[in-house]
Amino acid sequence: MSLKYVAMIAVSGSLLLAGCGGDDTTTDTGSTSNPSLTGVVSFNDGSSMTVETVTYDTTGADVTNDSSTDIEPGMVVTVEGPHSDGHGVAHKIKHDSEVEGAVISSNITLVPDSDPMTYEGSMNVMGQSIIVDSMTMFKGFDDPTMITEGTVVEISGMFEDDGIHAKRVKYEAAELMPDEEVEIKGYVSAYDETGGDYRRGSLKL
């Protein structure tokens, strides 16, 4: 059995796995009649949205969003729809967080003399390495340096060789409740066909 890339959702102790295609990097297949662009949202007012360097008319778009909030700056989305010269019309917009679950450890520091305040460092969330840099946006935190073990967060970002580079980190809850849903998406590093175990980074499923 060959598994390259999966999205994993754990509900009440059980796991559902669904195959996914493609890498979570910025892409623009502009040669097609209905191109797809994956990138970071910098603006959204409900009728238009800027993703990377393209501003889309979103009034008629079909939106799929797994977050508890509307699509906001910092989220990584995929937009389907024609565009040229920095303007486009969105037919479909999809946001799907890379990780949603409990923090295992956090080492985030304030960048000295940064204005506005920016942060750098890393977190372990559900066994996944989360990289934080000056481009990371935080939602719902008074002080990201004080993120503690057990805090439930939602991560939207890009997969790189050294981990998930977070574009947006959103506070969800102080702790994970029993039977609460968690989500992990990424490459399977090992699979035991006889035992049925999957491994995503340091997380065994």
Side-chain angles (χ1 to χ4, degrees), residues 66-201:
D66 75 339
S67 179
S68 58
T69 66
D70 293 334
I71 293 178
E72 299 176 339
M75 288 183 173
V76 176
V77 300
T78 297
V79 183
E80 293 183 14
H83 66 85
S84 64
D85 298 326
H87 299 279
V89 177
H91 295 166
K92 294 182 179 180
I93 302 169
K94 181 179 181 181
H95 167 259
D96 188 9
S97 57
E98 276 58 58
V99 181
E100 184 175 354
V103 172
I104 294 175
S105 62
S106 178
N107 180 25
I108 297 176
T109 60
L110 176 67
V111 176
D113 302 321
S114 58
D115 184 20
M117 290 189 296
T118 58
Y119 301 86
E120 61 185 6
S122 63
M123 293 189 293
N124 182 324
V125 181
M126 299 294 292
Q128 313 312 303
S129 177
I130 310 299
I131 311 301
V132 171
D133 57 29
S134 60
M135 301 303 293
T136 304
M137 300 179 66
F138 289 87
K139 175 78 172 182
F141 294 98
D142 293 329
D143 183 358
T145 67
M146 301 301 291
I147 294 175
T148 58
E149 178 183 356
T151 302
V152 182
V153 296
E154 177 189 80
I155 307 294
S156 185
M158 301 283 196
F159 281 91
E160 302 291 348
D161 291 341
D162 56 348
I164 300 171
H165 283 240
K167 303 302 180 182
R168 181 176 183 271
V169 179
K170 177 179 176 290
Y171 175 87
E172 290 288 341
E175 60 181 342
L176 197 65
M177 295 291 102
D179 299 332
E180 186 172 347
E181 178 180 297
V182 298
E183 181 177 356
I184 308 164
K185 181 171 64 179
Y187 291 95
V188 171
S189 58
Y191 172 64
D192 178 1
E193 289 193 46
T194 58
D197 291 330
Y198 296 84
R199 186 172 291 278
R200 167 68 180 112

Side-chain angles (χ1 to χ4, degrees), residues 9-66:
I9 300 175
V11 186
S12 303
S14 63
L15 281 173
L16 304 175
L17 291 93
C20 299
D23 297 328
D24 276 339
T25 55
T26 303
T27 57
D28 185 355
T29 56
S31 61
T32 65
S33 59
N34 193 35
S36 174
L37 173 66
T38 299
V40 181
V41 175
S42 59
F43 172 81
N44 181 26
D45 66 359
S47 61
S48 64
M49 178 184 298
T50 301
V51 180
E52 300 300 323
T53 60
V54 180
T55 298
Y56 289 93
D57 179 350
T58 61
T59 53
D62 179 15
V63 180
T64 302
N65 180 16
D66 75 339

